Amino acid sequence: MKTDNSVNARWGQLGINPEEAQIMHIDLNSAFATIEQQARPSLRGRPVGVTNRISKNCCVIAASHEAKSLGIKVGMGLMEARLIAPDLFMIESDPPKYHWVYKKLCAIMKSYSPNVVMKSIDEGIIDFHGTRKTINKRPLEDIGMEIKQRVKSDVGKWMKINVGIGPNRFLAKTASNLHKPDGLDKIDHSNLKDVYRSLKLTDLTGIAKHYEARLNTVGIFTPLDFLNASSNTLRKQVFHSVIGDDWYQRLRGYEVDDGSTKLGHIGRQFVLDIRTNDDSVILPRFHYLCETVGKKLRFNQVDARGILVWMILDTSSQTTHLDAVQGSKEERTSRIYNTSSERQMPADTVMRQEPVSATSSAGWQDQAVRSSGGEYWQMRKMHKSTFYTDKDIYTRALYLFNQRPKLPVATIGVTCYGFSPTNRAQASLFEDQNKQEWLTEAVDEINERYGIFMVHSLNTLEGKKIVRQKIPAFGGSKYFELLLERA
Amino acid sequence: MTEVNQRIEVVTLFKSEGDPSELIFPARMRWRKEEIIFTELGLRHPTHKGQRMIHVFDMSDGVNDYRLEFDAEMLTWTLISILSGDKK
């Protein structure tokens, strides 16, 4: 292994953090599937998959332990999953049910410390700093066992949680992954090296295949190698940024993950129930997605300037339009950029159009493309003025939508970005704009009282029947209040 | 899963003690002139239809699973769906 023996200017020879482990990570593993098994006893002990809407092209967003043990993975398509486990029971997601369990879990966690952070809808962190001398004098392992028992008592006996305890969030999360399901482990300075010795690089949260390959190039093949690498090596040769310094500290038990994240984008996507290029089929669903994005924007009290429309196009049944017209993929990338720049665009717009091979770095999108065997297309536009009404979002998104290659669409998504705090109290000089904003506010008020999407555009009628509310399986919990309004 | 969506008659127990999740327990229901005795409450969770509070009860009779909804405003019980426990 290549090691940098020079004196490290930033961290010197930073040792392992000797502090008592006071961070507890709580993880409801296989949360949605386990909650469904709790609710429906006949599903217990059976391979269960949860999806947003059952269709031929749907994928598993959560799998029960029984399903996982058979090889079913999250993100796997239904047909592939059924090949592995023919008796897999697929069930549609039920957001209010998960929200209730989330609230129960929050309440239990907050009864131990005011410093609780929910990392997503099925996992959270309790920071016991400042509480150990007063209300939490017992060993944290005892408190962890008590939390497990309270979850069983307050939610249901089938519920299983993993508890991990560590001096920082990373080690607490690592500890919670050691014995699934229903584990309780602690990692601190006394056993850190032993734990690392038992793990692979990809067992570490945040290290996937891509980073593993980077680490391998400098001779780091195990977590212990990773721990022994200098911060210079990590910063200059592996991560090429301060992320290397973060890893240097994180691996030793120092906290670097307690910062808050900034809201970067808000979007919705939908796997089409019918793969088609027919506008009359796609547009109602697309319009509905736009209205959902609008509700999320307003829920977050932000206005957007940027909008992105992306699609995964079905290229499985025919030679693609792009291939046929533009030859190789490399040529296609350049031709697409040329095409984009040749369009007569308004002066205040910036547009990009690209296939996945060119610049897409979003792993989940890459995965979606691979699983669907399709081709990724996107177009984005940054406006000078902000927008937040459903009509504004749809109008802007529709403009991009109409630029798409004429191929059957498998998945479609709309994302807004470039946020600023909302400026809705300010009346516009233009009456038309004011009317549109007042209409949006009125519709939101009606929907808040009588149920979300009680009033919506006529064009979205078909979409409302088909598109189900997405579960933010891997994201934050911030939309749950919005989800709850939808019955 | 069989969708039902029919108003039903339910006998409910309100317990004074026990697990917090089971203080209210729909004990039996009458549906299609049959009486079904529930043996387990899988999960109860509240939700909303607009501003109306709905309590959803996932019940089991030991074989099949039943989803019941109690409308806290109208004070009515509705059988939403039945999931057969037959594993075949």
Side-chain angles (χ1 to χ4, degrees):
Chain A
M1 188 188 108
K2 294 177 195 171
T3 54
D4 187 344
N5 293 321
S6 62
V7 176
N8 187 306
R10 294 195 185 197
W11 305 110
Q13 295 298 317
L14 190 63
I16 293 168
N17 188 353
E19 188 197 9
E20 181 196 4
Q22 293 189 70
I23 305 289
M24 183 180 287
H25 186 100
I26 308 283
D27 190 348
L28 267 172
N29 264 304
S30 305
F32 302 154
T34 306
I35 293 168
E36 291 298 345
Q37 288 179 317
Q38 170 61 45
R40 302 160 196 262
S42 69
L43 297 181
R44 295 176 191 170
R46 295 171 63 182
V48 175
V50 178
T51 187
N52 278 326
R53 183 179 178 83
I54 294 175
S55 72
K56 194 177 69 175
N57 301 315
C58 70
C59 73
V60 177
I61 63 166
S64 67
H65 295 294
E66 296 82 0
K68 285 179 179 171
S69 66
L70 293 171
I72 307 287
K73 292 182 175 152
V74 172
M76 192 177 269
L78 174 60
M79 286 190 285
E80 187 184 356
R82 281 263 161 80
L83 283 176
I84 295 170
D87 61 342
L88 176 74
F89 189 89
M90 284 295 273
I91 194 162
E92 291 191 355
S93 58
D94 187 355
K97 196 185 284 172
Y98 311 147
H99 179 263
W100 182 78
V101 174
Y102 167 82
K103 285 211 304 190
K104 286 280 178 189
L105 184 64
C106 280
I108 292 170
M109 291 169 68
K110 283 179 180 171
S111 68
Y112 292 96
S113 167
N115 299 320
V116 170
V117 178
M118 296 309 289
K119 301 298 287 181
S120 69
I121 56 175
D122 62 351
E123 60 181 358
I125 287 160
I126 309 175
D127 184 347
F128 285 93
H129 284 93
T131 68
R132 299 285 287 141
K133 289 182 181 171
T134 51
I135 53 174
N136 295 310
K137 296 176 184 172
R138 292 173 293 158
L140 289 190
E141 290 93 328
D142 289 357
I143 293 176
M145 289 303 293
E146 184 178 272
I147 291 174
K148 281 169 172 281
Q149 194 51 48
R150 286 183 64 186
V151 169
K152 285 180 188 294
S153 166
D154 288 8
V155 181
K157 295 177 177 63
W158 190 257
M159 300 304 296
K160 298 179 182 74
I161 63 169
N162 288 324
V163 179
I165 303 163
N168 68 356
R169 294 174 185 212
F170 169 74
L171 289 179
K173 167 85 174 168
T174 305
S176 74
N177 288 336
L178 291 178
H179 296 100
K180 286 184 176 180
D182 216 13
L184 191 158
D185 290 276
K186 177 178 171 181
I187 301 176
D188 61 10
H189 59 91
S190 65
N191 67 344
L192 183 135
K193 288 188 177 178
D194 292 335
V195 171
Y196 282 165
R197 202 169 283 122
S198 67
L199 299 176
K200 296 181 297 189
L201 277 175
T202 49
D203 291 333
L204 303 178
T205 302
I207 301 295
K209 291 286 178 194
H210 185 68
Y211 271 158
E212 184 189 32
R214 279 204 209 179
L215 291 163
N216 289 166
T217 59
V218 294
I220 297 171
F221 294 99
T222 66
L224 268 186
D225 293 342
F226 201 4
L227 180 69
N228 292 330
S230 72
S231 69
N232 270 336
T233 304
L234 297 179
R235 186 176 65 250
K236 293 182 178 173
Q237 297 181 41
V238 181
F239 297 99
H240 306 293
S241 73
V242 291
I243 292 172
D245 290 335
D246 288 347
W247 271 107
Y248 187 79
Q249 296 176 76
R250 186 181 287 130
L251 288 164
R252 285 162 174 72
Y254 294 95
E255 190 60 86
V256 291
D257 299 311
D258 54 353
S260 59
T261 54
K262 191 181 169 190
L263 184 65
H265 62 269
I266 290 174
R268 271 299 309 268
Q269 67 180 86
F270 179 60
V271 179
L272 261 75
D273 42 319
I274 307 163
R275 293 189 176 195
T276 177
N277 189 32
D278 184 352
D279 278 3
S280 67
V281 174
I282 303 172
L283 277 178
R285 292 152 177 79
F286 181 69
H287 195 163
Y288 184 74
L289 292 185
C290 292
E291 291 205 350
T292 315
V293 171
K295 282 183 173 48
K296 286 183 175 182
L297 269 186
R298 297 190 291 278
F299 179 75
N300 279 283
Q301 297 281 309
V302 291
D303 297 349
R305 284 180 54 224
I307 191 158
L308 162 75
V309 173
W310 64 271
M311 292 174 203
I312 295 171
L313 303 165
D314 186 358
T315 56
S316 58
S317 59
Q318 55 184 308
T319 303
T320 73
H321 168 75
L322 295 172
D323 282 335
V325 173
Q326 296 169 336
S328 72
K329 199 165 270 187
E330 289 73 21
E331 290 167 352
R332 195 161 67 235
T333 306
S334 60
R335 286 293 296 275
I336 288 172
Y337 275 109
N338 290 339
T339 305
S340 178
S341 61
E342 283 161 13
R343 284 198 191 94
Q344 295 298 309
M345 293 303 304
D348 70 332
T349 62
V350 178
M351 296 190 66
R352 291 169 61 202
Q353 178 181 6
E354 54 209 37
V356 69
S357 56
T359 55
S360 172
S361 58
W364 59 272
Q365 285 172 337
D366 291 347
Q367 190 180 4
V369 172
R370 282 198 298 276
S371 65
S372 70
E375 182 151 358
Y376 179 77
W377 173 91
Q378 71 171 39
M379 184 172 273
R380 63 177 74 209
K381 185 173 178 180
M382 182 64 93
H383 295 261
K384 275 186 178 172
S385 56
T386 58
F387 56 89
Y388 69 89
T389 63
D390 292 342
K391 187 184 173 192
D392 276 347
I393 294 169
Y394 181 60
T395 307
R396 285 161 169 74
L398 187 62
Y399 179 81
L400 305 181
F401 174 86
N402 286 333
Q403 318 293 319
R404 74 190 193 281
K406 301 298 178 188
L407 287 169
V409 178
T411 307
I412 190 164
V414 182
T415 300
C416 288
Y417 59 98
F419 298 129
S420 56
T422 187
N423 194 25
R424 280 161 228 167
Q426 177 83 41
S428 170
L429 288 172
F430 306 105
E431 195 176 349
D432 284 352
Q433 182 66 22
N434 284 333
K435 280 183 179 173
Q436 197 187 120
E437 292 175 3
W438 294 335
L439 176 65
T440 301
E441 283 173 21
V443 168
D444 281 352
E445 272 182 36
I446 293 169
N447 285 337
E448 197 174 313
R449 180 171 179 81
Y450 293 102
I452 201 163
F453 285 108
M454 190 60 69
V455 177
H456 54 93
S457 304
L458 178 63
N459 190 27
T460 65
L461 193 61
E462 184 68 20
K464 189 188 174 207
K465 289 180 196 163
I466 304 293
V467 185
R468 288 288 300 272
Q469 180 61 58
K470 188 188 172 195
I471 305 296
F474 310 106
S477 47
K478 58 192 173 221
Y479 297 128
F480 254 137
E481 293 303 325
L482 183 64
L483 294 181
L484 193 62
E485 291 175 16
R486 183 193 172 103
Chain B
M1 184 141 39
T2 310
E3 300 289 334
V4 180
N5 278 317
Q6 280 183 13
R7 193 77 61 83
I8 48 166
E9 293 175 3
V10 175
V11 177
T12 308
L13 289 177
F14 292 88
K15 300 177 184 175
S16 60
E17 55 189 23
D19 280 349
S21 59
E22 294 190 1
L23 288 178
I24 174 170
F25 189 90
R28 56 184 67 190
M29 74 170 180
R30 192 189 304 278
W31 179 58
R32 288 185 181 169
K33 296 180 182 176
E34 276 187 43
E35 190 165 87
I36 293 163
I37 299 171
F38 296 124
T39 56
E40 185 175 353
L41 168 59
L43 198 75
R44 178 197 64 80
H45 70 275
T47 185
H48 289 86
K49 283 186 176 165
Q51 292 192 337
R52 278 162 58 205
M53 168 73 84
I54 306 288
H55 293 278
V56 182
F57 292 79
D58 285 293
M59 305 300 301
S60 169
D61 65 356
V63 179
N64 302 320
D65 298 331
Y66 304 84
R67 185 180 172 110
L68 276 59
E69 285 187 2
F70 177 70
D71 186 326
E73 186 175 310
M74 307 297 291
L75 304 180
T76 55
W77 285 94
T78 307
L79 175 61
I80 302 298
S81 61
I82 301 174
L83 177 65
S84 170
D86 184 0
K87 296 184 182 180
K88 290 178 183 176

